[in-house]
Amino acid sequence: MSEHQRRRIYLMRHGNVTYFDNQGKPFLPELVPLNELGQAQATAAGRIFAEEKLQFDRVIVSGLPRTVETATRVLAETGQKIELERWPDLVELRGGKLSAIPDEHLRDAFVGAFDGVVPEDRRFLGGESIGELMDRIHPCIDRLRADKSWDTVLMVLHGGVNRAILSYALTNQRLFLGNLAQTAGCINAIDVGEAQADWVVRIVNFSAISSLQGESRHTTMEVLLDQYLRSRNRQN
């Protein structure tokens, strides 16, 4: 066969972080670093890339510490010294003030943004809407695809952002498929061709540290809701 025409995007979610303390009180999501598990997940992903002798032409992160640390640990395993590109438009869905959400709306606020095909007006934790997320994510991906200078890129981003990118790749439409799981530290692989509709999704939600992901059947947001309720119930 002729030399491949498609280019490869390896899309990762950052490693695990601790969003709430033992009392259920939230840390600032803009500042949280990887916890011990998250560090192990990032290192394990890096080893997978190293075993395949993969080299990245570019490495893109959102700029939040958890994406920077994950990418840095991956590159430490591959042996590459490459400058990270910080794309702030690729930060995670921005939530609102948790204390302003009534008790009866808490579950929907936490898990509703990742439930099936999500309406554009659905808001994440009372903050940014899914439509607003796609408004900033889709142009970034279009811009990346339009740049022909790279063959293989690593993007280390966030659960909601990754869902927006994967939904775009799977449907080539302005849709958000909320039930695409994105385990902390996971790897996705997407090939892109010249034509706008030429996407091939190769790998989704591969966890280098837990290939069968048998340790839990809860979603990330279900776990976070449970942690937050501990604090909320204490305060009440």
Side-chain angles (χ1 to χ4, degrees), residues 13-31:
R13 184 187 172 201
H14 61 79
N16 196 271
V17 302
T18 303
Y19 291 105
F20 295 89
D21 65 19
N22 292 333
Q23 303 302 314
K25 294 180 180 179
F27 295 113
L28 283 175
E30 297 83 7
L31 301 178

Side-chain angles (χ1 to χ4, degrees), residues 47-231:
R47 287 174 181 160
I48 291 289
F49 290 125
E51 287 169 6
E52 296 292 326
K53 297 181 171 55
L54 276 168
Q55 296 285 285
F56 307 111
D57 300 306
R58 300 172 66 178
V59 179
I60 296 170
V61 298
S62 72
L64 296 186
R66 54 192 186 271
T67 65
V68 172
E69 186 178 356
T70 299
T72 300
R73 286 179 175 274
V74 167
L75 292 175
E77 296 301 315
T78 65
Q80 275 192 275
K81 295 182 179 179
I82 184 170
E83 185 175 354
L84 304 182
E85 300 178 36
R86 290 165 168 80
W87 289 27
D89 282 344
L90 296 177
V91 297
E92 183 58 299
L93 269 162
R94 303 177 178 102
K97 191 174 182 180
L98 293 180
S99 60
I101 303 172
D103 288 351
E104 62 271 21
H105 295 156
L106 270 176
R107 180 169 181 80
D108 187 57
F110 268 79
V111 306
F114 302 123
D115 187 11
V117 180
V118 185
E120 288 199 26
D121 61 359
R122 173 78 67 171
R123 296 197 173 274
F124 176 67
L125 298 177
E128 187 176 26
S129 73
I130 293 300
E132 291 165 342
L133 173 71
M134 292 191 289
D135 284 343
R136 56 184 174 86
I137 300 303
H138 286 200
C140 287
I141 298 304
D142 292 342
R143 184 169 82 248
L144 178 64
R145 291 187 65 178
D147 181 352
K148 302 301 192 293
S149 66
W150 60 272
D151 177 78
T152 305
V153 64
L154 172 65
M155 304 182 78
V156 182
L157 304 173
H158 306 270
V161 174
N162 286 8
R163 286 173 172 88
I165 295 171
L166 287 166
S167 298
Y168 195 18
L170 286 166
T171 69
N172 196 39
Q173 297 181 54
R174 189 180 165 88
L175 290 175
F176 187 85
L177 307 176
N179 52 0
L180 286 168
Q182 287 292 280
T183 301
C186 72
I187 302 170
N188 308 276
I190 305 168
D191 289 346
V192 295
E194 291 292 324
Q196 172 63 35
D198 189 355
W199 309 80
V200 181
V201 178
R202 299 284 182 185
I203 301 168
V204 176
N205 199 40
F206 171 72
S207 173
I209 205 169
S210 178
S211 57
L212 296 181
Q213 301 187 34
E215 63 275 7
S216 175
R217 298 188 183 182
H218 292 96
T219 68
T220 299
M221 295 309 297
E222 287 169 345
V223 172
L224 295 181
L225 172 60
D226 180 68
Q227 292 173 353
Y228 174 64
L229 284 175
R230 296 177 198 171
S231 171

